[in-house]
Amino acid sequence: MSVRGNGRTIFAANAHNHIQETFIMERLDETDLELLRLLQKDATLTTRELAQKVHLSPTPVFERIKRLKSEGYIRKVVAVLDEEKLNCSFVAFCYIKMKQHTFGNASKIMEAVQDIEEVGECYNISGDYDFLMKVYVSSMKEYQQFVLRILGELDCIGGLNSCFVMGEVKNTYSVPVHRR
């Protein structure tokens, strides 16, 4: 076994007795965790700015970020837009119940939401409902049209319940970053 980066490299024989290298990730170190925290707060920070904050030179910081991306810790970098300025500030949470619990019905819903621009998030959930969608529209009237014209076309939906956001209390877009 040889050490490489934050993990270990293990050599194992596969079915054809060829030596195969498998990288097993150990825990991220404190610098990796701090980089993730900083990037969650402001992904526009330059490598040089990040390097100053974690007390490293830019090259190792660049390499760490590249590794964090390739290993899937950083899935993507996006801009957070202002719903009000884009006339999408009417936010509804829509709970969906399938007519029947079948793979086909679940697949139809999961495929359909991929192409529905108003759906910002969709989760398959447990409990009384099967899916929870976060829907962005401009008004109650537009939400009504969304339910009738878009969701109403999905014959696999057996029922829905909606609740409406009166005010946002917390939305960090962040995942807790700490040692586990």
Side-chain angles (χ1 to χ4, degrees):
M1 184 176 357
S2 64
V3 175
R4 182 174 81 187
N6 286 339
R8 3 181 211 135
T9 303
I10 295 180
F11 296 96
N14 66 13
H16 301 291
N17 288 329
H18 291 100
I19 300 296
Q20 191 174 20
E21 181 180 7
T22 306
F23 184 70
I24 298 176
M25 183 68 194
E26 291 180 350
R27 292 186 177 174
L28 300 174
D29 68 17
E30 207 45 57
T31 302
D32 291 331
L33 297 174
E34 185 60 19
L35 286 169
L36 292 173
R37 283 185 207 103
L38 291 165
L39 288 168
Q40 275 196 130
K41 288 179 186 170
D42 185 358
T44 65
L45 290 171
T46 66
T47 303
R48 183 174 305 264
E49 291 168 325
L50 289 165
Q52 288 173 343
K53 291 179 184 289
V54 297
H55 310 293
L56 289 176
S57 63
T59 301
V61 169
F62 174 81
E63 291 300 324
R64 282 174 180 260
I65 292 169
K66 187 170 139 184
R67 179 180 50 79
L68 291 167
K69 286 179 180 178
S70 72
E71 291 176 358
Y73 290 98
I74 299 171
R75 290 191 300 188
K76 63 181 174 177
V77 179
V78 299
V80 178
L81 306 179
D82 187 305
E83 299 96 343
E84 296 256 343
K85 290 183 179 187
L86 294 167
N87 199 25
C88 293
S89 61
F90 189 88
V91 180
F93 284 95
C94 183
Y95 294 88
I96 303 286
K97 188 179 286 195
M98 293 186 291
K99 275 186 181 174
Q100 263 189 317
H101 288 93
T102 66
F103 179 77
N105 283 345
S107 295
K108 283 180 190 175
I109 292 170
M110 289 187 284
E111 287 173 24
V113 298
Q114 302 304 318
D115 297 325
I116 302 172
E117 187 178 22
E118 293 88 349
V119 177
E121 300 172 44
C122 181
Y123 302 95
N124 184 210
I125 60 174
S126 63
D128 293 336
Y129 292 91
D130 302 303
F131 292 92
L132 171 61
M133 295 180 197
K134 186 175 185 181
V135 180
Y136 294 90
V137 290
S138 64
S139 65
M140 177 64 86
K141 185 165 185 70
E142 189 178 338
Y143 183 71
Q144 178 188 29
Q145 294 302 311
F146 168 81
V147 169
L148 296 173
R149 291 193 178 152
I150 296 174
L151 297 183
E153 294 296 315
L154 296 173
D155 62 354
C156 54
I157 294 178
L160 67 89
N161 187 10
S162 301
C163 60
F164 308 102
V165 174
M166 296 184 340
E168 188 174 276
V169 177
K170 181 179 180 181
N171 190 343
T172 65
Y173 305 98
S174 298
V175 175
V177 178
H178 48 72
R179 280 205 185 276
R180 299 234 182 251

